[in-house]
Structures are given as structure tokens and as C-alpha cells.
Amino acid sequence: MTNVTRLECSACGAQYEAGHLYNVCIKCGKPLLVRYDLARASKSLTRDALTSRRADMWRYREVLPVENDANIVSLGEGWTPLVSAPRLGNSLGMTRLIIKDESLNPTQSFKARGMSVAVSMALELGVKKLAAPSAGNAGGALAAYAARAGIEAHIFMPRDTPVANVIECKMTGAHVTLIDGLITHCGAEIAKRKDAEGWFDVSTLKEPYRVEGKKTLGYELAEQLGWRLPDVILYPTGGGTGLVGMWKAFDEMETMGWIGSERPRMVSVQAEGCAPIVRAFESGATHADEFRDAATVASGLRVPKAIGDFLILDALRKSGGTAIAVSDDELLAAVAEIGGTEGLFVAPEGAACLPALRKLIQRGDVDRNEEVVLFNTGAGIKYIEAMT
Ligand SMILES: Cc1ncc(COP(=O)(O)O)c(C=O)c1O
Ligand SMILES: [Zn+2]
């Protein structure tokens, strides 16, 4: 059972039939998005029906693309806690500060959501070998889900990826290659070799299904808040798949009549050492130039060029949000501050949201009375080298 009607290019609108393997749009090279018959989906997927569903992201089954339930590759991803942060909020003079704690996913990051769907679809469509470049957490998730599906995983990581990420990929059966370069170089290596090796490339937004998994962040947020959305969302942005996914989820929920047309202000948080989206946002550009000599300890944010840049920028602008960069010193200090006030040992990427919020309050972009959600996308424990 699937309610997928077609795939659609996010840039040129070209249409593709469901049930086949695709990477990007053949006409323009941009990401493809999955479209559903939402009227049909909403017949069984109702807000009431959800109260008795499984406590993972597959509770939103009708708006996920797998045809046959037997192909769902799951380790219990999603339905992570939305934790109020009163002590941290208090230090900022805020009363409604919330953290969505994605470190409680399988493989300890939000990458589990996207890989659960991408690997399920790969299994359904008969793929035998998957490949992806990774800053760390995506690789760990791909390795785990591929192992569970009995599919080969080939993961290319920058040599300075946190060692925990490299080890977890190896321990869950993946073939790991370390590259002297950035994630973009890892992606280029896969592109060069994939045809000869028979790999299907699951780079983020270069296949249509990871974003479908990530969009469940948006569904969950609304459900956990009692079917409304917060005023502001701060999201640590590399490839931007979670942000693009949430934005898609909000539209789908509105079409199904679950929420109105109001949207949170979406904020992309980046590191000063790699801030292509911030630069593009500030200059008014619709696409982001590659960020030269990218460097930050928040390895998930070390993405100098994102294929979905125009989708990220569009969501930021349509939502009335913004993009903001913080320094490595600021984001590392925030790991200890969030840990010390709320007991969450967050990833540096997630921690970056805190100094970003402080700056937004100072700039007058966020009011202290607003409801703000920070996304902690991963687990601090995997970044021990950066913290010792
Ligand atoms: C912990 C963490 N946060 C954020 C990101 C960035 O995610 P996205 O590519 O969806 O913007 C990553 C990506 O590797 C990550 O591992
Ligand atoms: Zn296109």
C-alpha cells in the first residue's frame, strides 16, 4: 500500500512515474520529491488514528513511500522526545524553549530517519549495493540499515571524520573509505566509480527518499505540540534535508487539513567556518556558492555545497526566517552549557543552535516570549576528540 502518485522535480517540475529507481532529475539535475494522493492518505491517517499507532516514524505510514510493508527496514527510528528546557530557557529569559532530541534515534542521530526510508526503498526496488558520502552520522545510519536489509554499504568519509562514526560504520558491516578532502570530494569519488561498481548513490537529496524520512520531523513536531507548530525552529544545516523535509511536511499537513497556513520561522544555523547558506541568504541569492576551505569541528555542518541550496533558501525566506553562523568556540561552549543545564549531551551541530538563538534575541529577530524549538540532531558522545 502506497499513496505515492508520482515523483516531481523540485526545480523544473518534470514528472516521473513512481516505482522506479531515480537519482536526480534527468532534465535539470536537481532533487526529485515524492508526491502523494493526500486525500486518499488522510482517509486512514487521521489525527485520531495516530493515538494508537506504533511509537516510531512509521506511524505516518500513509505518507511514506514503501509499497510493501515487508520491505520496511526499521530499527525503531523517530518519535523522539520533545524536551522542555526550562533552566536553559531561564538563562535566556525565555519560558518556552524546547529541544527536539534526535540523539535518541537508532545510531544516535536524525540520519536514521532518512536512511530507514532510503534503504527500505532500495530493498523494494532491488538494489544490491548502496554508496554515500558522509560527514559521519549519515554513514553510521546507512551502515546499520543496510546491514539489517542485507544490502552492501560503501561509505566515503573525510579522513578527519570523528573516529566513533568510522568505527560504527565498520562494526555494522560497511565498506569504509577515508578521503583526504571534504564531503564534496567524497561525493565526487562515488560519482566517478558508481557505474563501474554497480552502486546506487544515496547522497542526500540525490535520491528522493531520505527527505521523506526526514520530513517526519515536521509531522512529529506538530503532533507532539498538540497539532500546532512553534514560532521559530532552529536547525543546524549542512545539506539541509531535515529543513526541506519539514517544510514539505507542513504543506502536506495543511493539505490534509491538520494545520492552517501558519508556519514557524525557519532558521538555518551554520558554523562560521562553513556558512554557504548564511552567505547566500545575506546576499539575497537564490543559490549558494561553494564555501572555500570549509573547516569546523561540527563535522555535519562541513558541507561547502548543498544540492538543495535553493530549497533551503526558499523555505527560510517564505517562512520569514533567517540564516546565522556561530563560531566553533561558541558551539563547543554550548555543548557544556546545554549539558550542564538540561542534562543532554548534545552534538556540536545541535549545540550551535544555542549561540545562534542568543544572537537572534540580541538582533531582535526572536522575542523572549516566543516558543522556540532547537534541533539536537545527534549525540555528543561521538565527538570526543573535539571535546578533549
Ligand atoms: C549531527 C548532525 N547535525 C546536522 C547535520 C546536517 O544535516 P543536514 O544535511 O540535513 O542539513 C548533520 C549531517 O551530517 C549531522 O550529522
Ligand atoms: Zn528538473
Side-chain angles (χ1 to χ4, degrees), residues 8-14 16 24-32:
E8 187 177 67
C9 175
S10 57
C12 77
Y16 295 83
V24 291
C25 175
I26 294 162
K27 299 197 170 104
C28 75
K30 298 296 184 190
L32 298 180

Side-chain angles (χ1 to χ4, degrees), residues 108-111 134-138 165 183 204 210 214 235-243 299-303 312 347-350 375-379 383:
Q108 295 167 271
S109 89
F110 72 149
K111 299 281 176 182
S134 171
N137 288 310
N165 295 124
I183 190 165
T204 198
R210 284 174 66 179
K214 291 264 191 95
Y235 177 84
T237 305
T241 315
L243 190 138
S299 41
L301 304 185
R302 220 186 287 144
V303 181
I312 303 169
E349 294 86 347
F375 269 84
N376 173 38
T377 41
Y383 300 76

Side-chain angles (χ1 to χ4, degrees), residues 222-234:
E223 188 175 357
Q224 290 175 323
L225 286 172
W227 300 111
R228 55 178 189 79
L229 296 170
D231 296 308
V232 182
I233 289 176
L234 275 80

Side-chain angles (χ1 to χ4, degrees), residues 82-85 88-89 92 94-100 221 225 228-235 264-265 267 269 353-354 356-358 360-361 365-375:
L82 195 56
V83 189
S84 71
L88 189 60
L92 295 160
M94 301 180 79
T95 51
R96 295 192 294 156
L97 183 62
I98 304 174
I99 299 176
K100 177 72 168 157
L221 202 53
L225 286 172
R228 55 178 189 79
L229 296 170
D231 296 308
V232 182
I233 289 176
L234 275 80
Y235 177 84
R265 304 201 300 286
V267 178
V269 178
C353 294
L354 178 60
L357 175 58
R358 242 185 214 117
L360 293 175
I361 293 173
D365 283 345
V366 171
D367 187 274
R368 288 190 163 84
N369 296 317
E370 290 188 296
E371 186 173 50
V372 177
V373 174
L374 310 182
F375 269 84

Side-chain angles (χ1 to χ4, degrees), residues 9-10 36 53 65 71 145 175 205 226 241 249 267 271 312 325 338 378 383:
C9 175
S10 57
Y36 297 84
R53 294 246 175 138
N71 293 323
Y145 287 92
H175 302 263
L205 288 171
T241 315
V267 178
I312 303 169
I338 297 170
Y383 300 76

